[in-house]
C-alpha cells in the first residue's frame, strides 16, 4: 500500500478544488444556456489525476456524471461534492494542527531527555 504525505493530500485537494470550480462554472454555463434542457453533448473531459490508482474511481465517477441528464441532479451532486471537499479540507486542517502539537510535544520531550542526560553526566558519581 502506498504511503501518502500531507503534501500528497494537499496536492490532491488542490486538484479536486480546481476540478470542482471547473464543474461549477460549466454547470452555471449550462443552466444559463439551457435552463430546462439537458446538455446536447457530453461534458468535457476533466483533468484527471495521473496515478493509475485513481483509474477505477475516475471511471466510476465519469459514468455516474454522464448518466445524469438533469441539471438539477448534477447541481445536487456538485453541492454534495463541494460540501465533502470542505469537510475534507477541515479534517486536513485539524490533522495539521494535531501533527504540529505532536511534533512540538516530541521536541519538548527530546529536549527534556537531553537536559536530563546532561545533568546526569555533570553530577558526581557515587563511589
Amino acid at each position: 500500500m502506498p504511503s501518502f504525505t500531507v503534501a500528497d493530500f494537499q496536492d490532491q485537494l488542490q486538484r479536486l478544488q480546481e476540478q470542482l470550480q471547473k464543474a461549477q462554472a460549466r454547470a452555471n454555463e449550462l443552466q444559463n444556456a439551457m435552463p430546462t434542457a439537458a446538455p446536447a453533448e457530453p461534458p468535457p473531459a476533466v483533468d484527471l489525476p495521473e496515478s493509475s490508482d485513481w483509474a477505477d474511481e475516475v471511471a466510476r465517477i465519469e459514468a455516474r456524471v454522464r448518466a445524469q441528464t438533469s441539471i438539477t441532479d448534477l447541481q445536487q451532486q456538485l453541492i454534495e461534492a463541494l460540501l465533502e471537499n470542505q469537510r475534507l479540507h477541515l479534517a486536513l486542517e485539524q490533522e495539521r494542527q494535531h501533527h504540529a502539537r505532536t511534533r512540538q510535544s516530541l521536541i519538548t520531550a527530546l529536549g527534556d531527555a537531553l537536559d536530563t542526560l546532561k545533568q546526569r553526566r555533570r553530577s558526581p558519581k557515587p563511589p
Side-chain angles (χ1 to χ4, degrees), residues 14-75:
Q14 180 65 33
R15 284 192 294 271
L16 289 172
Q17 287 173 332
E18 290 170 3
Q19 290 174 5
L20 286 172
Q21 288 173 349
K22 288 178 185 178
Q24 188 174 22
R26 179 72 175 144
N28 288 339
E29 289 173 11
L30 291 173
Q31 185 175 12
N32 291 337
M34 297 182 272
T36 59
E41 58 188 53
V46 178
D47 294 334
L48 305 174
E50 293 180 17
S51 171
S52 62
D53 296 340
W54 286 92
D56 291 339
E57 185 67 15
V58 168
R60 186 185 67 76
I61 291 170
E62 280 184 336
R64 180 178 169 196
V65 169
R66 292 185 196 289
Q68 295 297 326
T69 57
S70 164
I71 290 177
T72 304
D73 289 343
L74 288 171
Q75 287 174 333

Side-chain angles (χ1 to χ4, degrees), residues 114-125:
L114 289 173
D115 288 344
T116 301
L117 184 59
K118 286 179 187 175
Q119 288 176 356
R120 286 186 182 171
R121 287 184 178 171
R122 287 184 197 149
S123 64
K125 295 182 181 179

